[in-house]
Amino acid sequence: MSAVFATAGIAQSVKLTTDQLMNKIKGGWAGQTIGVVFGAPYEFKFTGSYVQDYQPVPWSRHYILYWWNKKPGLFDDIYNDCTFVEAFSQLGIDCTQKQLGHRFAYADYHLAHANQAGRYNIRQGIEPPESGNWRNNPHADDLDFQIEADFIGLMTPAMVGQAQQVADKVGHIMNSGDGFYGGAFVAAMYSSAFYLNTPKEIITAALATIPQESQFYKCISDVVAFHDAHPQNWKDCWFMLQDKWNKDVGCPKGVFLSFNIDAKFNSALVAMAMLYGNGDITETLDIAARAGQDSDCNPSTCGGVLGVMHGYDNIPAFWLDPLKEIEDSTFQNTDMSLARSYTMSYDLALKYIKRNGGKIGKKDVEIPIVKAPVLSLEQNFPNTYPLFRERKDCFVDKDYEFNFDGNGFVIWGNLCCLRNINKDYINRVSIRHIGSEVFSMTEPDDPYVAKVEVWIDGKLDCTAEMPMKGQNRRVEPAWKYDLPEGHHKVVLKWLNPDPMYTIRINDIQYYSANPQHPRFYSNLN
């Protein structure tokens, strides 16, 4: 790659041969796939702790093929990207947010957290960007867009402004606020890695597009500053992050618990691994996997960005050879493979280079480097402070009600099917554990849809539809934010109960506009 140089009429540009461009695109796809497999054994196994040095993180020949056959859903980081690449390729780079949202919502594979909530919203008629808004999506700050924004930077090489325009269109399908910034940050890192040569330069360029007033910016800035002051030991930085930033406000599975899928926190672990890994793929992946929390997605991001920076041909054979066994295989429930993604991303990159005023020759491309504008400020859950978490662990057969003092709530639970529970099963498993077992017994073609009215303070707020079919499922039975601060009564009325189904309520998370609000346990049922 040539150095970035001044060019008449534009501020700067970067020149790549077409082979170099393809090599970097392939490196991005390869790196993220390697990373997600490397961290797979420890995904959310270490929450609030890290993997000790004496504990190996395994890697070997045929290791990617092993996980490919064992757990196809592990590759959600990749196949979500593939869905959007295919959509842009077929619909054109001017396709609408609604078109992209529907491609995503009706893709035939498993989703969770913000992705599934966004999919549910779209299938219920709540179109993007409202499908990713925190009032409609309790997981809006989760890292879902962050783990599927890689493709954006790969098709907008060295064009960070273009990357952020695409991010704005895609990211609000499933996220908003810090959840959106996580993906925008990743997209900008990939794009910057086409012409910058150190992790710090890449992180700095990507962070410059995030509003400085945001919590996301402040969190990542802390990582950069801490590394500058203490560049030797990543664990020192890890402890700083635990102390200052390991807190979740939105995700019903994580608030007040050690589980943290928050975008800014996991992006901070990515930035930490990249800075302390100093461009070395092996060292960076090892730190990212050992740092805990989403320890497959975070190495995936690191591996992808470094894969662009170094190029496919410079990824050590130790990492790359196992990948080659699955490059031509299609991801489960898609028509896409890595090999096809390489080609589609390259073709899209040429279109964006041309759109952005670049030059495309027979053997090289010249891409203008234009400073990207700062994204608009958006922060989720304003004046919405976690008050406390009440363990319920109960099964609802018809109606359910509770009282609380505060300004919001979210129920963590789900619809469960009982038809596979027999007498012998119940004798072997205590009722306390049946729920978690039943939770996994979703039947792909089960047509049942529970209809539940949500009444708040005597007024009908909404009628929640809870399909049993996994791809249509509602991730939480009910939630409401932005209520007037005070005492509230919530009633769930199950309009069409069926003895073969039950609604499990694990926990209820309460919020207040006052972070010092006393806990009104005496008012709870």
Side-chain angles (χ1 to χ4, degrees), residues 367-380:
I367 309 167
I369 307 297
V370 180
K371 184 178 179 180
V374 177
L375 295 164
S376 299
L377 179 64
E378 53 183 83
Q379 292 284 242
N380 296 332

Side-chain angles (χ1 to χ4, degrees), residues 126-154:
I126 302 174
E127 300 289 352
E130 292 305 310
S131 56
N133 185 276
W134 66 278
R135 291 179 179 85
N136 303 317
N137 189 332
H139 298 270
D141 273 338
D142 292 1
L143 55 64
D144 299 63
F145 178 45
Q146 179 177 312
I147 72 172
E148 58 216 21
D150 316 65
F151 82 95
I152 298 173
L154 295 176

